[in-house]
Amino acid sequence: MDRKAAKRVAVVGAGTSGLAACKHLLARGFRPVVFEAGASVGGLWTRTLASTRLQSAAAGYRFSDFPWPEGADEFPCHGQVVEYLAAYARRFGVDGCVRLRSKVVAAEYVGAGADDAELWAGNGEAFGGDGAGRWRLTVRHADDSHDTTQTYEFDFLILCVGRFSGVPNVPAFPAGGGPDAFRGPVLHSMDFSDMDDADAAALVRGKRVAVVGSGKSAFDIAAECADANGAELPCTMVCRSPQWLLHDVSVWGGLHLGHLYMNRFAELMVRKPGAGMASSLLATLLTPLAWLISKLTEAYYKKAIPMREFGMEPELGFAGAIASCKIGMLPEAFYDKVRRGGVVLRRSGNFSFCEDGLVLDGADGGCVVVPADLVILATGFRGDQKLRDMFVSPRVKDIVAGSPDTTVPLYRECVHPRIPQMAVIGYAESLTNIYAIEMMAKWVARFLDGAFRLPSVRRMERSVAEWGAYMRRSGGERFRRSCLGAVNIWYNDELCRDMGCEPRRKKGLLAEWFQPYGAVDYADIQ
């Protein structure tokens, strides 16, 4: 039997990262098994509102060797994205590896510990030195009649579970001020998005809806409620910290944001992790230019979008939003719905429940009651808890996601230095996630194929600490999201050097420094 085919590799999740991981493992001769809890491939995109669109243009949100079909929208809608991912799975034979309705409920490493190891897995290789270590997965399979639970063993585990699903983040409330005090239904955006489109529409129709949140999902839900009920029963959106939600990705007469923030010259203005003293000095010298670009970009969007008129001007500067991945796309004609009265925007630092709705802290120290029949909490997810809950070992639970004071400790954003024979793909964010995810998948597949070894555990931990310091510096209070937005090219350079590939992918000096980088630039790396 072929050595690669004999190695048992499990992939958990069949979203964008799971599909990419499986595709590149297949290309290198492995035969992975992909466990997907849902009924189809596509991950989070199979559980979003029908009106949801991509936050980045199709030209940037694509796999390097699989273009969108002709006729796709510039910002494809939910259905087009689901079909694109399904077509990718069919094209590369990934669908034949996926076991649908199969939820991994427990993962346990069986083998020698790694606490005191000098080299990852004993020798820095994917499958370890003696081959004795393995992952034991407990999987619950669901079908139309009953559920069954089975146990499997694998030589390597790849987690592609993402961080925006699974475990909802529900705020803490004072005694007597939680959802139990409200006489109507309260649900998280995850539950609302999981509903059938017709059922979701029926739930909000004819009701006063309050949506709590300031991210993309809150805007999408508020827009849907406005479409259903209009100004007669307006949807109130309660927002604490407005984010940069854009109507377009071009500024000042057609200059694409990629030319400002997604090329090598832009990254010269960033203090990159592990880049050395000269790079940090150059970034410091270019600070005035970075500030000017950010301010000019902010000025354009503040003029083009009535965010100031409705009290939705972000406190975070535009460059900071890029560096912390706090940017999204507005639902179509969102502020027109606000002007027509279908959406009412309210700012509040804290809120609680009362029998008739929500109680908001007023700017003057008083309280304001927002009447509601239904409350939807678009308050994010606890991705770290979702990651921890997968594991049996208390030790792994304790270290896999780091601490509240650190980023998730992944070398190259893929490998935990002290958890052998396991990789994570897609946990770090980017401005166009497929772009980052696919490079991670290529790196992991080549690692499993023996193209390179990992450095010592201590060296990996030093690198993790450097990247963690960068994330804290650039990401502010949300640094644990591990955003690659402002350093994606630098990150890809490191992956390329590991894989033995040329990091500079453009033809010509000007193109190399000033043209935006994207997934297509790395298409020949398989």
Side-chain angles (χ1 to χ4, degrees):
M1 181 183 292
D2 180 77
R3 180 185 68 85
K4 297 177 189 176
K7 292 298 184 182
R8 301 160 297 176
V9 180
V11 178
V12 181
T16 51
S17 53
L19 297 179
C22 183
K23 184 263 186 184
H24 288 284
L25 288 169
L26 286 170
R28 305 199 78 79
F30 294 96
R31 294 294 177 266
V33 177
V34 183
F35 295 109
E36 166 55 45
S40 60
V41 302
L44 189 61
W45 279 103
T46 65
R47 302 184 297 277
T48 56
L49 302 177
S51 61
T52 300
R53 290 183 175 271
L54 272 179
Q55 300 205 68
S56 52
Y61 190 92
R62 54 160 289 184
F63 293 106
S64 61
D65 54 359
F66 193 70
W68 284 85
E70 290 188 18
D73 296 341
E74 181 183 4
F75 292 90
C77 64
H78 157 268
Q80 290 176 316
V81 178
V82 170
E83 177 50 37
Y84 174 75
L85 297 176
Y88 177 83
R90 293 191 298 269
R91 168 65 179 81
F92 296 107
V94 172
D95 52 351
C97 301
V98 179
R99 300 188 184 183
L100 298 173
R101 300 185 179 89
S102 299
K103 180 178 178 62
V104 176
V105 296
E108 181 178 14
Y109 182 72
V110 182
D115 287 333
D116 301 317
E118 257 185 63
L119 293 172
W120 194 81
N123 63 356
E125 295 181 356
F127 298 103
D130 56 12
R134 60 196 183 280
W135 282 94
R136 183 174 296 154
L137 304 185
T138 303
V139 183
R140 184 169 63 239
H141 302 282
D143 58 32
D144 295 334
S145 57
H146 65 285
D147 293 357
T148 60
T149 300
Q150 295 183 355
T151 301
Y152 304 87
E153 290 191 349
F154 294 92
D155 300 298
F156 200 94
L157 172 64
I158 303 176
L159 299 180
C160 301
V161 296
R163 61 195 312 162
F164 299 114
S165 64
V167 181
N169 177 51
V170 178
F173 298 98
D180 291 343
F182 180 51
R183 64 183 176 184
V186 179
L187 64 158
H188 192 268
S189 59
M190 177 184 74
D191 303 309
F192 185 68
S193 298
D194 280 346
M195 296 176 67
D196 178 85
D197 294 339
D199 292 339
L203 177 66
V204 302
R205 191 176 298 117
K207 293 186 178 69
R208 297 170 300 174
V209 183
V211 179
V212 179
S214 57
K216 170 68 171 170
S217 59
F219 279 79
D220 284 344
I221 294 170
E224 289 222 349
C225 293
D227 290 341
N229 297 319
E232 293 182 5
L233 292 171
C235 173
T236 302
M237 194 174 107
V238 179
C239 174
R240 180 173 63 180
S241 301
Q243 299 181 26
W244 287 97
L245 273 289
L246 314 179
H247 69 303
D248 193 4
V249 291
S250 296
V251 297
W252 303 118
L255 180 63
H256 193 279
L257 286 177
H259 288 91
L260 297 176
Y261 293 101
M262 297 179 68
N263 57 33
R264 286 195 182 277
F265 182 75
E267 292 197 4
L268 288 179
M269 296 179 254
V270 180
R271 291 174 57 200
K272 299 176 284 295
M277 185 65 71
S279 176
S280 295
L281 177 60
L282 181 58
T284 301
L285 294 173
L286 290 173
T287 296
L289 178 59
W291 177 87
L292 179 62
I293 292 172
S294 180
K295 289 301 178 183
L296 289 174
T297 307
E298 291 172 25
Y300 170 80
Y301 283 118
K302 288 177 182 180
K303 181 179 179 181
I305 302 171
M307 56 184 78
R308 183 175 296 167
E309 176 185 347
F310 294 103
M312 295 296 285
E313 188 174 357
E315 297 176 4
L316 182 65
F318 200 83
I322 291 283
S324 54
C325 293
K326 297 179 186 176
I327 286 182
M329 298 302 297
L330 281 167
E332 188 174 354
F334 179 80
Y335 281 102
D336 290 343
K337 303 179 198 297
V338 177
R339 283 202 170 93
R340 291 196 293 265
V343 177
V344 176
L345 300 171
R346 304 297 298 265
R347 295 283 301 276
S348 178
N350 295 291
F351 73 98
S352 59
F353 287 87
C354 64
E355 184 178 8
D356 296 322
L358 298 178
V359 181
L360 311 183
D361 290 349
D364 58 357
C367 294
V368 177
V369 175
V370 174
D373 304 308
L374 167 68
V375 176
I376 301 176
L377 301 175
T379 48
F381 296 86
R382 298 175 61 196
D384 295 356
Q385 190 60 46
K386 177 183 178 181
L387 191 60
R388 290 188 178 97
D389 288 346
M390 292 196 61
F391 297 98
V392 173
S393 165
R395 170 189 165 273
V396 176
K397 285 178 179 286
D398 185 53
I399 69 173
V400 67
S403 72
D405 298 324
T406 67
T407 55
V408 177
L410 298 174
Y411 176 70
R412 299 295 194 247
E413 304 300 327
C414 292
V415 168
H416 194 292
R418 295 195 179 273
I419 303 179
Q421 294 167 241
M422 185 190 82
V424 181
I425 297 177
Y427 209 69
E429 294 182 66
S430 180
L431 297 176
T432 53
N433 279 329
I434 283 184
Y435 169 40
I437 284 167
E438 191 179 32
M439 283 298 289
M440 294 176 191
K442 294 177 181 184
W443 185 87
V444 170
R446 287 198 173 209
F447 173 49
L448 266 65
D449 199 20
F452 59 91
R453 292 186 181 188
L454 296 179
S456 70
V457 169
R458 295 185 188 280
R459 183 176 164 190
M460 286 195 288
E461 288 177 336
R462 284 198 300 271
S463 175
V464 167
E466 290 174 345
W467 279 84
Y470 163 77
M471 299 297 180
R472 180 182 290 279
R473 187 171 65 246
S474 63
E477 63 181 13
R478 302 178 75 178
F479 71 97
R480 285 180 61 80
R481 292 177 62 166
S482 298
C483 174
L484 300 170
V487 291
N488 214 149
I489 301 171
W490 174 251
Y491 171 74
N492 284 347
D493 286 352
E494 292 197 328
L495 300 189
C496 284
R497 284 189 283 267
D498 289 344
M499 293 186 288
C501 303
E502 171 57 48
R504 297 180 181 268
R505 315 297 301 176
K506 302 283 191 182
K507 294 182 178 180
L509 187 62
L510 289 177
E512 182 61 49
W513 283 99
F514 296 102
Q515 284 293 321
Y517 257 80
V520 176
D521 293 302
Y522 302 91
D524 63 337
I525 300 177
Q526 296 296 328

